[in-house]
Amino acid sequence: MDFLPALPDHEALDCRLPARQTVPVVVASPHSGSLYPADFLEQAVVPLSALRRAEDAFVDELFAAAPALGMPFLAARFPRSYVDANREPYELDPGMFEGPLPRPLNHRTTRVAAGLGMIPRVAASGEAIYRGRVPAETIEYRLESCWRPYHQTLSQLVENTYSSFGGALLIDAHSMPSSVSGFGSRDREQRVDIVLGDNHGEACAPEFVATAERWFRARGLRVVRNQPYAGGFTTQRYGRPALARHTLQIEINRALYMDEARHERLPVAGVFAQLITGLLEEMGRQALETLLPRPLAAE
């Protein structure tokens, strides 16, 4: 089905539409961006390599087949350490900023306490990103230039899909460090390869989680649900199963496709991308079966 009206282009986004949308699925990658503004790098006291460890590196490439499969695809070009699109807009640490704050902030969350608000305070290593306090006007600037365009576009993609098909499944694509929860590549039997997050059953129909879990397990991957990642702002905002709007977060262990220390693709990255393409095809079939209205049986 065609998209009308056309989505606006924006320098902060990589939005790829299929020639014709054939399945009620949208794919999004909020954390794979790697375009670092020069003024941000000047403010940072940690090296670029430390900032890049927060990226869901190459996830946009793993899911790049989505448009060819009839699914719209959206990725942030801005890096997660600059703006985290998987946070509430004002989920921020007020102690980071100098000057009048724009509104009461949602600062009493575990993510803010860890330094990982919409504008992160710390890098993936836990080191402070900034030399001193950040001007308070930075909040609205980054919201307007990055966060809002991302979510305005994503909302439109989901609503267009819903209007065309009567339902929508959003696949929120992420990656996780191999060291998460002590699951490292040296202990293959204990390593978690995939974490499926449905906000503990609140964000999508169980059929979708089960389909993804079966797909990955059939290919020898170890899958868990909601631990340690149940989903962030995206699953909470867009996952409304009662309204036929579903969101499934997929976290992929980076050791499966990249050298985390060198920040480089492994030789098997292309093969793993083909696996993800197969998953998308399977999720598209499940979405058609689950979401499309069924004709009434003849009496």
Side-chain angles (χ1 to χ4, degrees):
M1 298 183 182
D2 297 326
F3 276 105
L4 291 173
L7 290 161
D9 190 20
H10 196 284
E11 61 183 4
L13 308 177
D14 178 7
C15 184
R16 307 176 211 164
L17 301 183
R20 182 173 179 269
Q21 186 171 3
T22 56
V23 290
V25 178
V26 176
V27 180
S29 173
H31 291 160
S32 56
S34 58
L35 298 181
Y36 288 80
D39 60 343
F40 172 55
L41 294 177
E42 290 173 0
Q43 288 177 301
V45 294
V46 294
L48 178 59
S49 58
L51 297 173
R52 296 207 69 185
R53 283 198 287 273
E55 294 175 20
D56 287 350
F58 313 121
V59 164
D60 53 339
E61 298 178 10
L62 297 180
F63 287 82
L69 301 175
M71 307 170 183
F73 173 81
L74 176 67
R77 289 192 173 119
F78 52 87
R80 181 184 189 178
S81 54
Y82 183 69
V83 169
D84 191 338
N86 200 29
R87 298 288 182 266
E88 295 180 31
Y90 293 96
E91 189 174 0
L92 294 162
D93 180 353
M96 284 180 60
F97 302 100
E98 187 71 42
L101 297 173
R103 54 170 282 181
L105 305 183
N106 180 14
H107 64 280
R108 299 184 184 278
T109 72
T110 56
R111 294 180 289 243
V112 169
L116 301 173
M118 187 274 292
I119 297 178
R121 176 172 50 81
V122 300
S125 59
E127 299 171 271
I129 292 175
Y130 300 95
R131 289 186 176 85
R133 292 196 175 191
V134 179
E137 55 265 28
T138 300
I139 297 171
E140 287 300 331
Y141 175 78
R142 295 194 191 176
L143 281 170
E144 194 63 30
S145 62
C146 297
W147 193 98
R148 289 192 180 108
Y150 180 86
H151 283 286
Q152 288 165 355
T153 302
L154 185 55
S155 294
Q156 189 172 347
L157 290 172
V158 170
E159 290 309 309
N160 285 348
T161 301
Y162 177 83
S163 296
S164 297
F165 293 92
L169 168 64
L170 169 60
I171 294 177
D172 195 36
H174 296 259
S175 68
M176 58 186 179
S178 62
S179 59
V180 168
S181 298
F183 298 122
S185 57
R186 293 182 180 179
D187 190 353
R188 181 63 183 84
E189 294 303 314
Q190 294 301 315
R191 185 178 75 187
V192 169
D193 297 308
I194 305 292
V195 177
L196 301 176
D198 65 351
N199 197 19
H200 300 287
E202 298 293 324
C204 74
E207 300 97 297
F208 295 125
V209 188
T211 296
E213 185 170 23
R214 282 194 303 269
W215 176 266
F216 285 121
R217 286 189 184 277
R219 282 141 190 87
L221 299 176
R222 189 162 186 254
V223 183
V224 299
R225 299 189 186 190
N226 294 309
Q227 295 296 333
Y229 304 110
F233 175 76
T234 300
T235 56
Q236 294 161 10
R237 173 170 177 168
Y238 297 95
R240 296 287 185 271
L243 301 177
R245 294 166 174 83
H246 305 261
T247 302
L248 176 62
Q249 179 176 284
I250 299 177
E251 294 271 1
I252 301 169
N253 191 317
R254 293 173 192 161
L256 292 169
Y257 68 89
M258 69 176 285
D259 182 320
E260 295 170 273
R262 296 175 179 270
H263 207 88
E264 295 176 352
R265 303 168 193 82
L266 293 174
V268 297
V271 174
F272 196 79
Q274 292 175 8
L275 184 150
I276 295 298
T277 298
L279 169 74
L280 292 178
E281 291 176 321
E282 187 68 14
M283 298 303 291
R285 285 190 288 268
Q286 184 65 56
L288 288 171
E289 179 180 331
T290 301
L291 298 178
L292 260 61
R294 291 175 174 79
L296 295 175
E299 295 184 3

